[in-house]
Amino acid sequence: MKTIIEMKKVSKVYDLGDVAVNALRGINIEIKRGEFVAVMGASGSGKSTLMNIIGCLDQPTTGDYYLDGVNINDLSSNELADIRNQKIGFVFQVFNLLPRTSALENVELPLLYDRSGLAKDPRKGATWALNRVGLGDRISHEPHQLSGGQRQRVAIARALVNQPEIILADEPTGNIDTRASIDLLSVFQKLNDQGNTIVLVTHEKDIAEYAKRIINLRDGYIVNKKIVKKRRSALNDLENWQDEEEKIQVDYEK
Amino acid sequence: MKWKNIFLIAFRSILKNRMRSLLTSLGIVIGVCSVIVMVAIGEGSQAKVKEQINSLGTNLLIIFPGISHAGGVSRGAGSLNRLSLDDAEKIAEEAKYIDAVSPMVMTGAQVIGGGNNWMTSINGVSIDYPKIRDWELASGEFFTEQDIRSRRKVAVLGKTIADNLFPGQDPIGERIRIRNTPFKVIGVLSEKGQNARGMDEDDLVLAPSTTVLYRLKGRRWVNMIFARAASADQMDAAKKEAENLLRESHRIEPKEEDDFGVRDQTEIIQMATETSRTLTLLLGAVAAVSLIVGGIGIMNIMLVSVTERTREIGIRLSVGARNTDVLVQFLTEAVALSLTGGLIGIMLANCVAFLLNRFTELNPVINPGIVLLSFAFAAVVGIFFGFYPARKASNLNPIDALRYE
Ligand SMILES: Nc1ncnc2c1ncn2[C@@H]1O[C@H](COP(=O)(O)OP(=O)(O)OP(=O)(O)O)[C@@H](O)[C@H]1O
Ligand SMILES: [Mg+2]
């Protein structure tokens, strides 16, 4: 498989005047098309910083980042905008939905900024994406009318709507319960099965085991990269979960 | 395709943030409206004075006693009362460029007649007065040269007086008493209606100048003299002539200054509108302040919403909006709000002007130049402050815009 994300000695320094925070220190990463990578690490280890750079939302202080073989440092801000629009779907840790705006209009957004001419009718596209994450019956709800998990799924629908090759999710399960997390991971696994490259941040070992590979960060360094040996299937887990729930229900009734 | 989307986004954003949109436009509505109305009130009162003076008659010269500097028309005039009936007569007889002359002797008095009484003003004038004022008789006749010479106690009533003293009757031939002096009514003036200031022009009694001067006032001096130039292009000559004749009759040495003043209508209008011009200026200044306050209001709202808007821009940039997309969106929003605000302001100003005209003594005159100017100013203010947060935020990294607090 072809390499789609490649980082060479990438570092990120936040200069706060009197102190400089080294959020990333010489990161080398290679991610191939169709991979499902989980990024793990303690709080403050640089996970979000890394994701933002991968997602072209931020630029490295030093080092090179090649996306599909193109060095990001050579691109103009318009070209970066188009990459964010076409190639990358980003799911933020804090959702970042537009307030007072329906799920449908939130999800439409990337299609409205599409310049490729390939995008389908925004309404249709957004409805499709919302159905995809199981929110087909919530399209006119505004963020404040949705639960945390539902908001997260709207954010995922927005990331999917332009059918990007790469999906980046920064702790998408941080704010939702286990059941909803597994639900979400089943969506990611399905997308991955269809050929999307997925990078997901988490600090829960359980969640990381749904990925194919894990990268561990500490203090801006990569401490290790490993293949997941016993990969979990979200769909299976969901079924088991249902069985167990039924069992509890039965026990309770007895 | 692309532009359509950006406009769609902009209009969605306006509708979604109704309060913010409303407050933004409101600043402009109030600013535009108050400037237009204030200036209209000022200009209205100026126009009124002008109209009033023009309604005195055409090609009119007014001769005031004393040295009538600007503003001295009404007040300073009384102090040096040095115009007599002879002066008026001399002009009437000798001037070539003046075809009608009338002294004006003014007094106020209670008029009793037909069992009623009425407080009004009594004007002593010459037979030329109706010609100068372009005023016709409704019935009866005007007094004659003979009446003036003999100081006859005859009176011509204004319509209001006739109606109030002799309701439903013909007053011609009736007797009235003015300050215990009996007068015979010989005519009734045609109706002039209200003048521009809302005063009833028909609320007066005309009588021979001599009668009023000697029998009612017991003085020698007249209040002023009205003279009419034979034609519009003879105004200057007529003025000069009147000045020379009066200097002659007042025996003023060549080096001495006039002890009277001859003013044509333009000068009178200038003097009279001076105060209302100051008023216009003052009102305009107040209004300009309110426009600026409106502008600051808009700025305030924009700055308050800047955090939210910067995050919004961060979201848009992160899903692939280019900074020009964001700028065009914000510009569209600002233009749309300012223009609607401006238009509503103009409409509101027209309504207010209409109501003022209808229910108050004010007659505002809306000045199209001011409409344009205030509209342009409001638009610039609205657009600038609508655009300002966008311009800053769209140049940020998406991640910095999202993190903005
Ligand atoms: N904008 C910023 N300015 C200054 N320092 C920053 C900024 N963003 C991140 N940092 C610092 O960089 C380091 C890495 O932050 P980062 O957000 O990548 O951590 P993280 O691994 O995502 O943590 P968490 O699990 O809590 O989300 C932290 O020490 C943080 O304080
Ligand atoms: Mg983080």
Side-chain angles (χ1 to χ4, degrees):
Chain A
M1 275 283 184
K2 225 183 113 198
T3 302
I4 189 161
I5 293 167
E6 187 176 15
M7 287 192 166
K8 286 184 178 161
K9 290 192 189 148
V10 163
S11 58
K12 180 77 185 174
V13 182
Y14 291 108
D15 191 0
L16 302 178
D18 36 342
V19 282
V21 180
N22 286 290
L24 296 175
R25 310 174 200 235
I27 299 280
N28 293 306
I29 292 181
E30 212 185 311
I31 296 174
K32 294 201 162 58
R33 186 163 276 148
E35 274 205 90
F36 190 155
V37 177
V39 176
M40 293 190 68
S43 186
S45 56
K47 305 182 296 290
S48 295
T49 308
L50 178 66
M51 289 296 270
N52 293 338
I53 291 173
I54 297 178
C56 297
L57 298 169
D58 209 353
Q59 277 76 49
T61 313
T62 60
D64 296 299
Y65 165 32
Y66 298 90
L67 181 67
D68 245 351
V70 180
N71 192 336
I72 290 303
N73 291 335
D74 299 340
L75 298 179
S76 70
S77 81
N78 281 349
E79 286 168 318
L80 287 174
D82 292 348
I83 285 180
R84 291 194 291 268
N85 188 251
Q86 304 291 310
K87 281 209 172 128
I88 296 168
F90 203 103
V91 183
F92 293 93
Q93 194 167 355
V94 290
F95 317 133
N96 278 333
L97 300 175
L98 289 179
R100 299 184 296 283
T101 304
S102 71
L104 187 78
E105 286 180 14
N106 260 298
V107 176
E108 265 179 17
L109 220 50
L111 294 175
L112 296 178
Y113 291 115
D114 187 296
R115 274 169 214 269
S116 67
L118 300 172
K120 31 184 162 181
D121 172 25
R123 233 191 147 69
K124 260 193 221 153
T127 316
W128 166 83
L130 282 165
N131 277 323
R132 185 90 201 256
V133 296
L135 279 181
D137 55 342
R138 291 280 192 281
I139 56 170
S140 57
H141 286 54
E142 293 176 8
H144 69 95
Q145 298 166 319
L146 295 168
S147 73
Q150 287 168 334
R151 280 183 226 180
Q152 191 64 278
R153 280 192 278 169
V154 174
I156 291 169
R158 186 178 63 189
L160 299 181
V161 73
N162 252 353
Q163 294 178 284
E165 285 178 61
I166 306 168
I167 292 177
L168 306 173
D170 191 355
E171 295 204 48
T173 58
N175 297 293
I176 52 182
D177 66 23
T178 324
R179 166 71 206 262
S181 303
I182 300 171
D183 220 17
L184 213 77
L185 281 156
S186 71
V187 176
F188 283 136
Q189 283 190 333
K190 212 197 264 167
L191 285 167
N192 183 239
D193 291 343
Q194 288 162 358
N196 290 74
T197 309
I198 296 178
V199 182
L200 171 140
V201 169
T202 180
H203 46 233
E204 289 170 71
K205 191 109 188 31
D206 294 356
I207 300 292
E209 282 173 352
Y210 291 92
K212 291 175 179 165
R213 191 152 73 96
I214 298 176
I215 294 177
N216 265 303
L217 285 183
R218 190 193 300 146
D219 290 337
Y221 295 108
I222 292 181
V223 283
N224 65 44
K225 306 173 184 175
K226 59 184 180 198
I227 308 288
V228 178
K229 294 210 186 78
K230 275 200 293 177
R231 189 176 181 224
R232 299 172 69 162
S233 157
L235 276 179
N236 284 345
D237 288 355
L238 271 181
E239 270 166 32
N240 294 339
W241 191 287
Q242 255 152 12
D243 291 348
E244 256 164 55
E245 249 181 11
E246 269 160 33
K247 233 193 274 166
I248 292 166
Q249 193 92 26
V250 174
D251 287 348
Y252 187 73
E253 276 170 11
K254 266 185 197 165
Chain B
M1 174 64 193
K2 198 76 202 101
W3 291 107
K4 198 193 79 191
N5 287 345
I6 305 286
F7 292 143
L8 176 76
I9 289 168
F11 287 110
R12 273 183 185 171
S13 168
I14 288 175
L15 294 178
K16 218 140 271 160
N17 302 285
R18 289 218 179 86
M19 204 57 190
R20 188 173 71 205
S21 308
L22 198 81
L23 290 174
T24 308
S25 329
L26 201 66
I28 294 181
V29 169
I30 292 172
V32 167
C33 180
S34 61
V35 169
I36 295 176
V37 170
M38 296 280 194
V39 174
I41 290 174
E43 295 204 341
S45 74
Q46 235 170 297
K48 216 190 280 181
V49 172
K50 223 180 265 183
E51 195 187 309
Q52 204 166 8
I53 289 163
N54 280 329
S55 77
L56 286 177
T58 45
N59 305 337
L60 186 70
L61 291 173
I62 301 180
I63 302 158
F64 298 100
I67 308 146
S68 47
H69 292 297
V73 183
S74 50
R75 224 150 276 144
S79 55
L80 268 169
N81 240 339
R82 284 275 282 144
L83 284 177
S84 64
L85 287 178
D86 294 341
D87 289 335
E89 211 148 298
K90 186 175 169 76
I91 294 171
E93 272 164 19
E94 295 178 26
K96 279 185 298 202
Y97 301 110
I98 291 171
D99 67 354
V101 176
S102 170
M104 171 61 78
V105 186
M106 297 191 284
T107 185
Q110 184 97 348
V111 181
I112 302 167
N116 301 302
N117 67 75
W118 195 258
M119 186 70 200
T120 188
S121 52
I122 317 294
N123 292 353
V125 296
S126 79
I127 55 164
D128 279 347
Y129 191 68
K131 198 153 69 172
I132 295 172
R133 292 294 316 271
D134 199 12
W135 207 342
E136 312 214 315
L137 285 177
S139 63
E141 50 201 18
F142 209 71
F143 38 84
T144 60
E145 199 56 57
Q146 182 59 40
D147 293 330
I148 290 177
R149 232 172 286 132
S150 331
R151 303 178 192 176
R152 284 222 179 101
K153 291 173 274 186
V154 289
V156 174
L157 305 186
K159 184 81 169 32
T160 307
I161 303 295
D163 288 350
N164 281 289
L165 296 185
F166 305 101
Q169 299 167 38
D170 181 9
I172 309 289
E174 297 287 339
R175 305 227 145 245
I176 58 172
R177 296 176 72 82
I178 303 173
R179 285 206 197 126
N180 289 326
T181 311
F183 278 73
K184 189 179 156 202
V185 178
I186 56 165
V188 176
L189 288 163
S190 63
E191 184 169 2
K192 268 219 157 158
Q194 291 196 337
N195 69 12
R197 205 175 270 167
M199 288 187 315
D200 184 2
E201 291 239 50
D202 302 313
D203 187 1
L204 87 175
V205 172
L206 296 183
S209 49
T210 48
T211 317
V212 177
L213 196 60
Y214 300 119
R215 292 190 192 276
L216 292 179
K217 282 185 94 175
R219 293 236 200 106
R220 286 182 57 201
W221 311 118
V222 304
N223 294 78
M224 52 186 143
I225 298 171
F226 284 21
R228 191 178 73 172
S231 73
D233 37 306
Q234 285 171 332
M235 282 293 275
D236 287 339
K239 194 174 165 189
K240 199 85 216 130
E241 197 173 33
E243 279 167 0
N244 289 337
L245 288 170
L246 284 174
R247 284 183 77 90
E248 205 175 290
S249 74
H250 288 194
R251 297 204 185 80
I252 295 169
E253 300 293 320
K255 274 181 201 140
E256 278 180 327
E257 283 192 26
D258 293 349
D259 61 353
F260 58 87
V262 182
R263 299 279 175 262
D264 61 28
Q265 259 151 314
T266 339
E267 291 170 311
I268 296 164
I269 289 170
Q270 255 170 23
M271 288 187 291
T273 52
E274 200 137 301
T275 40
S276 57
R277 235 194 340 264
T278 324
L279 182 74
T280 308
L281 225 65
L282 195 74
L283 289 174
V286 170
V289 168
S290 79
L291 196 59
I292 290 168
V293 169
I296 291 171
I298 294 168
M299 182 174 80
N300 210 11
I301 291 155
M302 287 302 173
L303 291 181
V304 166
S305 66
V306 83
T307 308
E308 195 194 271
R309 297 233 83 175
T310 304
R311 302 201 48 162
E312 175 195 331
I313 289 170
I315 293 172
R316 295 184 185 281
L317 293 174
S318 73
V319 299
R322 296 182 174 187
N323 23 22
T324 46
D325 293 343
V326 172
L327 285 178
V328 171
Q329 177 203 333
F330 275 66
L331 196 62
T332 310
E333 282 184 39
V335 168
L337 288 179
S338 311
L339 292 193
T340 33
L343 287 178
I344 294 173
I346 291 173
M347 287 192 290
L348 195 67
N350 278 286
C351 293
V352 172
F354 174 79
L355 292 177
L356 285 178
N357 206 358
R358 187 78 191 273
F359 297 110
T360 70
E361 301 273 278
L362 300 166
N363 300 96
V365 176
I366 288 182
N367 178 333
I370 295 291
V371 170
L372 269 178
L373 198 75
S374 64
F375 187 66
F377 182 78
V380 168
V381 168
I383 290 166
F384 178 76
F385 289 120
F387 201 48
Y388 169 78
R391 200 184 49 100
K392 260 178 81 180
S394 68
N395 288 325
L396 290 174
N397 242 344
I399 207 71
D400 292 330
L402 282 170
R403 245 188 230 131
Y404 187 87
E405 252 151 28

